[in-house]
Amino acid sequence: MIEVAVNGYGTIGKRVADAVCKQPDMRVAGVAKTRPNFEASAAVKKGFDLYAAIEERKHRFEEAGIEIAGEVTELVEKSDVVVDACPSGVGADNVSMYRRYDTPALLQGGEDAEAVDASFNARANFEAVAGADIVRVVSCNTTGLSRLIAPLREAYGVRKVRVTLVRRGGDPAQSNRGPINDILPNPVSLPSHHGPDVNTIFPDLSIDTLGLKVPATLMHMHSVNVTLGSQPNAEAVRELLEAERRTFVIPEWLGLEGAGAITELAQDAGRPRGDIWENCIWGESLSMVGPDLYLFQAIHQESDVVPENVDAIRAVLETTSRERSVERTNAAMGLDEPLTPTRM
Ligand code: NAD
């Protein structure tokens, strides 16, 4: 069994911990929290051993009546791998601790690529992180783009990618985020950081990205144009993307008009927390104009990186192949169970 520590038990950390629990070859060694709050309470209820991330604040857990198993350094030392899901920047600060205890660690997309030995996406570069010490599971947007670009490159070649990312202002629980009633070019100057981030996965890819922020919390939306190396018809591209394991090509008959309806679909399908682990690509939007492919896809920012973290654990520890890992992760999480009764 791979013993997995989760340091930073928030939006991403709690989802990764749940996904790890479901894997036949992994268990959660413990989770580290900075303070007792509703998420600490949920961790205890799930039976996870709780470790204090900040020694001086240990007493706060005791005062709240929450039992602590130890300090984060003890958790790091006894684990085979750490998933660090701390807020952006904190993960990089933690790297020296992981190196000190010689425990490989997975950081998240909010960290700079320079803070890590390699960046990871299961579909695109699983093998590239074998044996690495500090790896970054790329952001939700970069994960969504990498899953799309990898099969297109393999099937047709890609000459140029252009993406406009309409980004949610914050996650549902981030009450301090905005905009509240505005539409922001963000960043206002080109390129947005997303293109260079995709280049950490595909270094030779020509990609331009623009970003906006809107007052929404549900998902990100990508307006994508890919100039392909050949000219397949739209139906062939659709079949290619339907055959992928972490893309969901939305059938027209579902009548999913936006992110809100996708979220409802996931909740109706019984997905935990209404999570949508796949890229959601509108089938009707898939169009070819000469060598140019156009499409819209929605990305659930809180959950698409979760199966990627699970695969990254096996990739770093070199316990199995990409195909086997993805198959195992999907089966254990229920990602292979279609969101709809039939895939059309
Ligand atoms: P979050 O704020 O929801 O969770 C972070 C957790 O870490 C919180 O519980 C916080 O209390 C805890 N924490 C803070 N300092 C800590 C420390 N020193 N030690 C241990 N725990 C500490 O953040 P999140 O949304 O889960 O983001 C985590 C990482 O994942 C970031 O790099 C982020 O960019 C990335 N990410 C976030 C999303 C998203 O949409 N939420 C998507 C993909 C990637």
Side-chain angles (χ1 to χ4, degrees):
M1 281 300 224
I2 305 170
E3 297 282 331
V4 182
V6 178
N7 189 17
Y9 190 77
T11 307
I12 302 296
K14 65 186 175 187
R15 286 173 165 82
V16 172
D18 286 356
V20 163
C21 276
K22 295 203 160 117
Q23 307 303 312
D25 53 341
M26 301 178 189
R27 69 175 287 276
V28 175
V31 307
K33 286 275 314 159
T34 53
R35 62 194 163 110
N37 68 351
F38 72 97
E39 281 161 334
S41 149
V44 172
K45 207 164 170 211
K46 282 173 191 275
F48 297 143
D49 286 342
L50 210 58
Y51 289 78
I54 300 173
E55 193 188 343
E56 305 81 67
R57 294 201 201 153
K58 218 167 140 181
H59 66 95
R60 288 213 213 163
F61 290 91
E62 284 147 20
E63 284 157 18
I66 292 181
E67 199 182 323
I68 286 289
E71 285 163 26
V72 65
T73 48
E74 296 169 63
L75 175 62
V76 170
E77 186 171 21
K78 73 170 193 174
S79 300
D80 297 315
V81 61
V82 182
V83 175
D84 182 304
C86 293
S88 306
V90 178
D93 291 343
N94 287 334
V95 164
S96 57
M97 169 172 63
Y98 304 139
R99 292 205 193 275
R100 193 161 66 245
Y101 291 98
D102 201 17
T103 307
L106 309 180
L107 271 46
Q108 305 304 311
E111 307 299 333
D112 290 339
E114 293 71 40
V116 299
D117 302 327
S119 294
F120 177 86
N121 171 257
R123 178 64 180 81
N125 73 344
F126 186 97
E127 294 80 10
V129 303
D133 293 325
I134 308 291
V135 166
R136 185 176 70 115
V137 175
V138 290
S139 74
C140 47
N141 282 312
T142 303
T143 294
L145 290 173
S146 299
R147 285 177 183 166
L148 180 68
I149 291 164
L152 294 174
R153 264 166 71 105
E154 286 163 17
Y156 312 117
V158 166
R159 284 173 23 214
K160 178 87 190 177
V161 180
R162 298 175 184 85
V163 187
T164 301
L165 300 101
V166 181
R167 298 147 64 207
R168 57 85 179 107
D171 294 341
Q174 286 177 311
S175 37
N176 59 340
R177 298 279 282 262
I180 292 174
N181 181 18
D182 211 341
I183 303 167
L184 312 180
N186 182 271
V188 70
S189 57
L190 269 60
S192 73
H193 69 272
H194 306 93
D197 203 45
V198 172
N199 284 134
T200 66
I201 300 293
F202 306 102
D204 60 340
L205 183 75
S206 175
I207 177 166
D208 293 336
T209 53
L210 297 87
L212 296 109
K213 260 193 189 181
V214 295
T217 60
L218 298 176
M219 300 178 89
H220 298 298
M221 193 78 74
H222 296 172
S223 167
V224 180
N225 164 219
V226 183
T227 307
L228 299 172
S230 57
Q231 299 195 22
N233 61 33
E235 198 44 45
V237 177
R238 183 181 182 132
E239 281 169 20
L240 177 81
L241 296 175
E242 281 176 344
E244 286 292 305
R245 303 201 68 154
R246 290 180 185 163
T247 57
F248 170 48
V249 179
I250 302 170
E252 287 77 343
W253 64 267
L254 278 182
L256 294 179
E257 291 183 357
I262 296 176
T263 309
E264 286 271 324
L265 173 73
Q267 287 167 352
D268 291 348
R271 286 285 179 88
R273 300 184 177 93
D275 283 349
I276 308 141
W277 301 300
E278 311 89 329
N279 292 23
C280 297
I281 302 167
W282 272 271
E284 285 156 289
S285 74
L286 274 165
S287 313
M288 288 296 303
V289 182
D292 280 310
L293 166 68
Y294 293 90
L295 61 88
F296 288 118
Q297 68 172 2
I299 300 296
H300 188 222
Q301 74 279 357
E302 295 174 285
S303 69
D304 75 329
V305 299
V306 174
E308 306 293 325
N309 271 274
V310 174
D311 289 328
I313 291 170
R314 298 195 189 98
V316 165
L317 299 181
E318 299 177 80
T319 61
T320 191
S321 66
R322 168 169 80 92
E323 291 73 15
R324 185 83 191 98
S325 178
V326 169
E327 192 181 305
R328 231 183 224 193
T329 306
N330 281 13
M333 289 179 66
L335 211 155
D336 280 339
E337 286 160 30
L339 276 166
T340 52
T342 51
R343 283 192 187 254
M344 293 177 70

